[in-house]
Amino acid sequence: MAYVATRGGERAIEQSERLFRAEMGTITPERICEIKASMPYLVDRVMGEASLYDEDIAALALAQTGGELYEAVLVLRAWRTTQPRLSVAEPIEQETLFTHRRLSAAFKDIPGGQLLGPTLDYSHRLLATQVLTGEAFEPVPVEPAAKAAPAHQPSVSAWQAANDLVDLPDADTTLSEDIPDITREPLLFPSKRAHTLQSLARAETGGVLALGYAAMRGYGQSHPTVNELRLAEAEIVVTHPKGTKFSAGRVKVSQAEVLSKKGEKLELGFAATLGWNEVKVIAAATLDLNSAGAPKGSATEEEFFLYHTEGVESSGFCIHFKLPHYVTFQSSLDAMRDAKARSKQQKEPAQ
Amino acid sequence: MSLKSLTRDWEPMSYGFLDASAKRELRRKMLKAVAVPGCQMPYASREVPMARGWGTGGLQVSLTLINPNTCVKVIDQGADDSVNAASIRSFLARVSGAPTTLDTLEADLIQSRHRIPEEVLREDQVLVLQVPNPEPLRSVQPNMSIARQMHADADYGRMWLQLYEQIVRSGRIMQGASYPSMVNGRHVMTPSPIPRWDVPKLNMAKHLTILSAGREKRIFAVPPYTRVEPLVFDDVPYKVEEHANLTCYRSGVRGFFMNEIPQDDGSSTHEISDSEYGVKAIRSTEGDDIALGKTWYENGEMSS
């Protein structure tokens, strides 16, 4: 197989793409529906990292890339960036979230209550191998509580602020049109708060986990307590050109607030993302918590973790090393051979 | 006149893929980059349908500059037919309808990874270099915000020290490609990983060179007739790769940057890195009516 064949490159790349796509076969609307229905958490993860909320388009990206997650996110980001921005939605307050799951590790019970919601946390992780031998896996039906939990819950940190345990950040009064947008501006440091939170929201889950875990294990200054974790749906309220405010629908969101307990007051770290992805928001909030005053070049320094958890950039750069580098290699070889010849010359005894 | 006659039909993609706001951002930052030669300008690098690190910065510049009459050449490692060059060229043609060429002399716009063609570029040509790492100080200062301040202060002491240390340790400067170079006497830039052979081609060149790093979101430029001087000590002259006496086994040309091809018997043979120049040389020898342009190097020596 020619890598840099004379005049063969175009045919080679076309055929290699065909070979990849042949494996996946025909992509039908049914396949998209099946992915959407059977893998909501995968769809959520991809939507979060792409920062594009559309289950159909995310499922299509997964189908088209055969589940190669970095490729799926890239294809979504490249599509997203060409789309016009029609409107900026109203800010969302925690109290207005339609909450499915919400818990706090800081207190046994909290105003509004601990709300387990859907989770595998307490499941026994056993494979349903009977499916492989022809017996379907039927989930046991849910038995709803007699009284449904309230859909809207207060925030735990509001209670802590009322009790003078934590200083909440001042409300950001930036008009929605003026919020700095990481997809339209370069990231510079020290970074704008909006850029930090946006970058974490679209960061690659595995990358955030790796660096967040390093901070949790001890390479950070603060051990996180999960003050509040929420999986919810947020109402997207936009303004019609006529001035009417209306809901354009709901999107799934995750958010985590973690605490450090070092000084006289609690300190907060925060992260949120589109879709339900608990690992990502807890790890990201831990990084946020640890970033203040972190030494330059440490894993918890903002510049370090924001650059290195950007999945499209990091994965792209990683795979680019497959590209031919023989010119730069030749240039280094030339210097190396010359240096070797010089040192050999020097080592030979003087005549 | 109806409203319909004033509007265009909906299309799934803007001309040249990027939308108007992305192109405006690119144009503004390119102008800034030209105004302060060699200075890295941060820009809102958009995602494009290609992976980061695969020429997305160069691609955004090309997509912004391109029009249906722009004749485009794309090379990777000097070769037009390298797989990624072929991919970028077909994408550019697909979204812009621009004609493509392999011949340096015919091109209006040349997007390249790691090489500058051997034929001298003209004032009406633009060279777009893909840049993996825009920061020449990265090896001495990985933190971008500190490095940015060092550029502002023209604080290149550590860069000089690194070059000096290489001389002390290895008897020569060990920098291979991407040799740090002073632009217009003010900003040190990395000329992208072009070999040392190519750096003198940028000095007082007639053409405009735009260097764009999509992943790192930085753009910088060498405007026409701008000084580009490799960082060297007065008593240790700049050394390009020792390719002046190598001969291309295919085309027979001599005195250009070569690819080394290892042979089964343990030896090496060489072929010219600028593949299309090699092809033209062969066709010219075979009697075809082919225009070979003036080259930067003559008999292996940089001609001034």
Side-chain angles (χ1 to χ4, degrees), chain B residues 67-80:
Chain B
N67 68 52
N69 301 317
T70 313
C71 191
V72 186
K73 172 182 166 81
V74 184
I75 47 174
D76 187 340
Q77 316 290 297
D80 297 83

Side-chain angles (χ1 to χ4, degrees), chain B residues 165-220:
Chain B
E165 276 182 352
Q166 290 173 1
I167 296 175
V168 172
R169 283 171 197 272
S170 309
R172 59 161 288 154
I173 291 174
M174 295 303 288
Q175 186 80 31
S178 46
Y179 196 96
S181 305
M182 179 70 82
V183 184
N184 200 31
R186 174 59 181 84
H187 284 94
V188 170
M189 72 158 189
T190 166
S192 85
I194 54 174
R196 302 189 299 285
W197 184 270
D198 285 348
V199 177
K201 298 174 183 175
L202 289 170
N203 185 40
M204 298 307 281
K206 297 190 186 83
H207 70 278
L208 165 65
T209 304
I210 296 179
L211 302 101
S212 181
R215 185 178 52 84
E216 298 272 347
K217 306 183 174 69
R218 295 289 186 276
I219 206 164
F220 48 110

Side-chain angles (χ1 to χ4, degrees), chain B residues 23 55 80-81 90 110-111 136 157 164 183 199 203 216 222 279 287:
Chain B
K23 287 182 184 169
D80 297 83
D81 208 47
S90 76
I110 301 171
Q111 179 171 335
Y164 175 73
V183 184
V199 177
N203 185 40
E216 298 272 347
V222 178
V279 169

Side-chain angles (χ1 to χ4, degrees), chain A residues 293-308:
Chain A
K296 287 265 184 203
S298 70
T300 52
E301 184 215 0
E302 209 160 52
E303 177 169 338
F304 191 93
F305 67 73
L306 291 187
Y307 269 129
H308 298 129

Side-chain angles (χ1 to χ4, degrees), chain B residues 143-159:
Chain B
N143 191 292
M144 275 179 98
S145 32
I146 300 177
R148 203 162 177 235
Q149 184 142 18
M150 288 165 72
H151 282 290
D153 296 339
D155 173 9
Y156 298 124
R158 278 201 249 177
M159 190 83 249

Side-chain angles (χ1 to χ4, degrees), chain A:
Chain A
M1 181 71 186
Y3 190 43
V4 193
T6 320
R7 307 281 171 273
E10 260 158 68
R11 192 182 125 77
I13 57 174
E14 195 188 324
Q15 297 304 318
S16 65
E17 183 181 339
R18 287 188 192 185
L19 201 55
F20 183 92
R21 298 207 186 282
E23 185 85 356
M24 258 73 72
T26 313
I27 298 171
T28 58
E30 291 74 36
R31 183 180 290 185
I32 309 303
C33 291
E34 181 59 29
I35 291 174
K36 217 171 58 165
S38 62
M39 285 180 260
Y41 287 89
L42 181 62
V43 169
D44 275 11
R45 174 170 169 170
V46 166
M47 291 194 302
E49 294 178 13
S51 51
L52 175 71
Y53 198 93
D54 189 305
E55 291 167 355
D56 293 300
I57 293 178
L60 172 63
L62 283 166
Q64 231 180 285
T65 55
E68 208 336 329
L69 289 192
Y70 296 109
E71 291 291 336
V73 172
L74 172 57
V75 91
L76 288 169
R77 289 249 195 115
W79 186 80
R80 177 199 197 275
T81 194
T82 62
Q83 299 305 305
R85 297 193 307 167
L86 301 177
S87 183
V88 179
E90 295 288 306
I92 294 155
E93 298 283 347
Q94 290 200 46
E95 291 76 15
T96 66
L97 289 173
F98 188 102
T99 304
H100 289 251
R101 171 167 159 79
R102 176 241 193 184
L103 41 94
S104 171
F107 300 101
K108 182 161 189 284
D109 206 356
I110 43 175
Q114 308 264 15
L115 188 62
L116 271 184
T119 182
L120 283 177
D121 279 355
Y122 306 100
S123 71
H124 297 148
R125 276 72 164 190
L126 300 171
L127 270 177
T129 45
Q130 73 270 25
V131 177
L132 301 178
T133 51
E135 195 185 324
F137 176 84
E138 286 291 347
V140 184
V142 177
E143 292 169 9
K147 188 167 159 264
H152 303 282
Q153 311 272 350
S155 118
V156 177
S157 55
W159 180 89
Q160 287 156 335
N163 284 279
D164 202 28
L165 292 169
V166 70
D167 291 325
L168 292 181
D170 294 333
D172 190 337
T173 54
T174 313
L175 294 174
S176 45
E177 298 292 339
D178 299 330
I179 296 172
D181 182 347
I182 194 67
T183 69
R184 292 292 192 276
E185 297 164 22
L187 181 63
L188 296 173
F189 295 93
S191 77
K192 298 168 183 167
R193 184 66 183 151
H195 281 178
T196 302
L197 293 176
Q198 290 164 8
S199 298
L200 286 175
R202 60 200 238 130
E204 199 264 319
T205 306
V208 175
L209 174 62
L211 296 185
Y213 176 54
M216 295 168 192
R217 266 193 80 239
Y219 285 88
Q221 300 303 307
S222 304
H223 190 80
T225 298
V226 174
N227 199 38
E228 183 168 335
L229 172 73
R230 268 186 208 239
L231 299 185
E233 289 180 54
E235 197 87 42
I236 301 301
V237 177
V238 290
T239 309
H240 190 273
K242 282 182 185 162
T244 331
K245 289 189 193 315
F246 67 100
S247 169
R250 287 201 295 233
V251 298
K252 288 202 275 180
V253 291
S254 322
Q255 60 163 58
E257 228 175 51
V258 297
L259 294 172
S260 85
K261 305 124 311 210
K262 281 189 307 197
E264 293 176 4
K265 288 220 170 155
L266 301 166
E267 274 169 44
L268 284 173
F270 179 81
T273 190
L274 289 173
W276 288 356
N277 188 339
E278 296 184 5
V279 161
K280 176 164 152 180
V281 286
I282 296 172
T286 303
L287 289 171
D288 183 46
L289 179 71
N290 277 281
S291 69
K296 287 265 184 203
S298 70
T300 52
E301 184 215 0
E302 209 160 52
E303 177 169 338
F304 191 93
F305 67 73
L306 291 187
Y307 269 129
H308 298 129
T309 57
E310 191 0 270
V312 166
E313 289 168 11
S314 57
S315 65
F317 196 58
C318 175
I319 60 173
H320 113 281
F321 285 106
K322 294 181 288 187
L323 287 175
H325 280 80
Y326 53 78
V327 166
T328 48
F329 188 74
Q330 190 57 225
S331 186
S332 299
L333 271 190
D334 172 83
M336 204 183 286
R337 282 169 174 155
D338 184 42
K340 202 169 147 191
R342 280 164 198 256
S343 87
K344 203 175 159 192
Q345 225 168 30
Q346 276 180 2
K347 277 176 196 150
E348 275 166 13
Q351 294 295 312

